[in-house]
Amino acid sequence: MIKVEQLHKYFGDLHVLKGVDLDVAPQEVVVMIGASGSGKSTLLRCLNFLEMKDDGRILIDGEEVDPATTPLNKVREHVGMVFQHFNLFPHMTVLENVIEAPVHVKKTPKAEAIKQGQALLEKVGLGDKGDVYPEKLSGGQKQRVAIARALAMEPSVMLFDEPTSALDPELVGEVLEVMKGLAADGMTMVVVTHEMGFAREVADRVVFLDSGQIAEQGDPETFFEKPQHPKARQFLSRVL
Ligand code: ADP
Ligand code: MG
C-alpha cells in the first residue's frame, strides 16, 4: 500500500530523515514509536506530502508519487491524516466538517455526502452530534469527528500523528477504541503514538525510529519483550 525507499529529508542543515525504508502492506497496522525529535511527524507528513522529501522514493498503491507531476490533491484523497490537534472548522457543525472535503474536493453530491457523513458519525459513536458545533464537544469527541472527517474521503491508508497526546487521560480510551475498530475493519494504518498498550494489542508491526533512521522493527511481542537496539531498550525503559 505504501512503499518508502531511502527517504531523506532536510530542514536547512538539519538532516531529519536519513534513508528511511518502509513498506506497509494492505490492511497492515504499523505503530511508529521513537523519542521526541526522531522524525516521526516528518515521516508521516512526507507520506501525505505536507512536507516534500529531498531524496528517495514514495509509492502509494504501487505508483510512485512525484510532486512535480502528480496532482497532490489526488494523492491526499487516498491518504487520510489525523493530527494531535483536531483542526476542526469551528464555524461549521460536526456534520458540515465531515462533508466539507467530499463535497468540495471530491464533488460528491451533497445528499449522498450527508448520508455517508451521518453513517461515519455513527461509526465513531457520535451519531447524535451532527448539528452541534465543535466547541460543544470534549477533546475525545473532537478527535473522533476528525477521524470521521478523514474517513469521509474514503482513503486507502490512514495516518495518525499522536492522536491522543492532547487529550485528558480519561478521554484517550474512546479514541483508541475507534482506532481499534478501524483496524479490525481492515484499514491500513500508520500510527505514531506513545500508547504502548495500543501498540501491543493492535499493531502488526512496531517500527522504532531513532535520529531519522529505523533502528529496529518487528512484531510487537518480540519488540516489547526482547528489544535489540540499545536505543530501543532505553526508550522502552522510559515509557513502559
Ligand atoms: P517527532 O515527531 O519524532 O518528535 P519531528 O519529525 O517533529 O519529530 O521533528 C524532527 C526534527 O525536525 C526535530 O529536530 C524538529 O525540530 C525538526 N523539524 C520538524 N519540523 C521542522 C520544520 N518545519 N522546520 C525546521 N525543523 C523542523
Ligand atoms: Mg511528532
Side-chain angles (χ1 to χ4, degrees):
M1 194 62 79
I2 297 180
K3 192 174 179 67
V4 174
E5 292 175 356
Q6 283 301 304
L7 190 71
H8 288 265
K9 174 69 185 172
Y10 295 80
F11 290 114
D13 290 338
L14 190 64
H15 196 177
V16 175
L17 297 177
K18 302 172 185 164
V20 173
D21 294 306
L22 180 71
D23 275 307
V24 184
Q27 308 206 325
E28 192 179 17
V29 178
V30 172
V31 167
M32 191 158 58
I33 61 178
S36 176
S38 57
K40 305 179 298 294
S41 295
T42 303
L43 179 53
L44 285 193
R45 292 169 64 81
C46 284
L47 294 179
N48 200 23
F49 302 91
L50 294 170
E51 297 287 355
M52 296 307 155
K53 65 184 165 73
D54 290 304
D55 200 8
R57 288 178 6 121
I58 299 174
L59 291 84
I60 308 276
D61 266 338
E63 295 206 25
E64 180 164 9
V65 180
D66 178 359
T69 53
T70 317
L72 292 181
N73 278 342
K74 281 281 157 221
V75 178
R76 292 197 188 111
E77 285 182 23
H78 294 283
V79 186
M81 185 142 170
V82 174
F83 303 87
Q84 182 174 347
H85 297 283
F86 336 108
N87 310 322
L88 298 178
F89 304 116
H91 59 288
M92 292 183 189
T93 67
V94 162
L95 185 61
E96 285 167 353
N97 266 277
V98 173
I99 68 170
E100 165 71 17
V103 169
H104 290 103
V105 180
K106 224 177 179 183
K107 308 294 180 198
T108 306
K110 195 163 178 187
E112 197 183 319
I114 288 173
K115 212 168 120 201
Q116 289 168 350
Q118 184 59 34
L120 285 170
L121 286 176
E122 271 151 35
K123 191 182 170 103
V124 300
L126 296 171
D128 58 342
K129 299 289 184 197
D131 295 332
V132 165
Y133 284 86
E135 62 177 6
K136 300 277 186 222
L137 300 180
S138 72
Q141 291 173 324
K142 283 183 203 168
Q143 192 59 298
R144 287 187 279 148
V145 174
I147 292 171
R149 184 177 59 174
L151 291 172
M153 291 299 276
E154 303 182 293
S156 42
V157 183
M158 285 280 284
L159 310 176
F160 293 86
D161 193 358
E162 301 199 28
T164 60
S165 294
L167 300 177
D168 291 336
E170 73 272 20
L171 304 177
V172 168
E174 64 192 59
V175 173
L176 294 180
E177 281 307 314
V178 168
M179 293 166 64
K180 278 181 208 170
L182 279 183
D185 287 349
M187 177 59 80
T188 308
M189 297 163 56
V190 182
V191 182
V192 173
T193 185
H194 297 296
E195 296 292 332
M196 296 301 137
F198 177 86
R200 266 178 194 263
E201 191 182 332
V202 184
D204 296 306
R205 183 153 48 106
V206 176
V207 170
F208 175 71
L209 206 61
D210 176 58
S211 305
Q213 288 179 310
I214 294 179
E216 184 165 347
Q217 57 181 310
D219 67 87
E221 200 171 301
T222 311
F223 178 79
F224 286 113
E225 297 306 326
K226 295 192 181 73
Q228 301 294 317
H229 196 282
K231 287 288 185 59
R233 286 190 198 154
Q234 192 184 38
F235 178 81
L236 288 177
S237 72
R238 271 188 267 128
V239 298
L240 287 179

